[in-house]
Amino acid sequence: MNDDQFDALVDDATHAVNTLIPNTVLDGLRDSERSDLLFQINDALTPILREAIDRTDSDNPTRASTIAALICELLETHAKKCDESGDCKDDRPPHVISEIHGTSANIDSIASCDIQTGTQIYLVLGDRSAFRITVEAVST
């Protein structure tokens, strides 16, 4: 399955799920909230469908989305270990520490989204800084 076919599959699945949401729920949302809901459905379905396609396509090399998922899992695992360490909340280290720059912060959220050239990871920190990390395949 090529990227265009996969994108069409995700779009069709997103709209199919959207039609299952009762109108009473959708009517209570502003236009921007409806758009956000579609993006969230799309983002949730993308890795599920990608995994299903990857399992059935044995000639398919590792994708950028797989590597992005690995990076997200590593960050989430690191944050969880920091949150579980120490005897009390004040003893726990921040998720992100830069001794060189003298900064530290906790990870507030991590999300990923497939784009035409690969996958982007969105990382929002507790100090209100946000980052977009792009994962692209450089060879297949």
Side-chain angles (χ1 to χ4, degrees), residues 100-115:
I100 294 171
H101 297 106
T103 60
S104 64
N106 283 326
I107 297 171
D108 273 352
S109 66
I110 300 171
S112 65
C113 177
D114 286 341
I115 58 173

Side-chain angles (χ1 to χ4, degrees), residues 8 15 38-39 41 45 51 60 65 70 86 88 101 108-109 112-113 115 122 129-130 133-134:
H15 291 290
L38 280 175
F39 284 120
I41 293 169
L45 288 173
E51 184 177 329
N60 199 0
S65 59
L70 169 69
C88 66
H101 297 106
D108 273 352
S109 66
S112 65
C113 177
I115 58 173
Y122 298 93
S129 58
I133 304 163
T134 302

Side-chain angles (χ1 to χ4, degrees), residues 21-47:
I21 300 171
N23 285 338
T24 55
V25 173
L26 294 176
D27 291 343
L29 300 175
R30 295 187 307 260
D31 289 341
S32 63
E33 291 173 324
R34 284 184 183 199
S35 293
D36 288 343
L37 180 60
L38 280 175
F39 284 120
Q40 290 172 349
I41 293 169
N42 187 290
D43 290 348
L45 288 173
T46 297

Side-chain angles (χ1 to χ4, degrees), residues 68-84 95-96 107-112 121-123:
L70 169 69
I71 293 169
C72 288
E73 288 175 19
L74 288 171
L75 290 169
E76 289 167 351
T77 300
H78 170 74
K80 183 178 178 184
K81 292 291 184 187
C82 290
D83 291 343
E84 293 172 350
H95 303 151
V96 180
I107 297 171
D108 273 352
S109 66
I110 300 171
S112 65
I121 300 169
Y122 298 93
L123 183 66

Side-chain angles (χ1 to χ4, degrees), residues 115-131:
I115 58 173
Q116 190 170 11
T117 58
T119 300
Q120 290 184 336
I121 300 169
Y122 298 93
L123 183 66
V124 179
L125 302 180
D127 65 359
R128 296 183 309 254
S129 58
F131 300 89

Side-chain angles (χ1 to χ4, degrees), residues 82-102:
C82 290
D83 291 343
E84 293 172 350
S85 67
D87 293 332
C88 66
K89 188 173 182 174
D90 294 337
D91 292 340
R92 297 177 184 142
H95 303 151
V96 180
I97 300 171
S98 173
E99 291 180 14
I100 294 171
H101 297 106

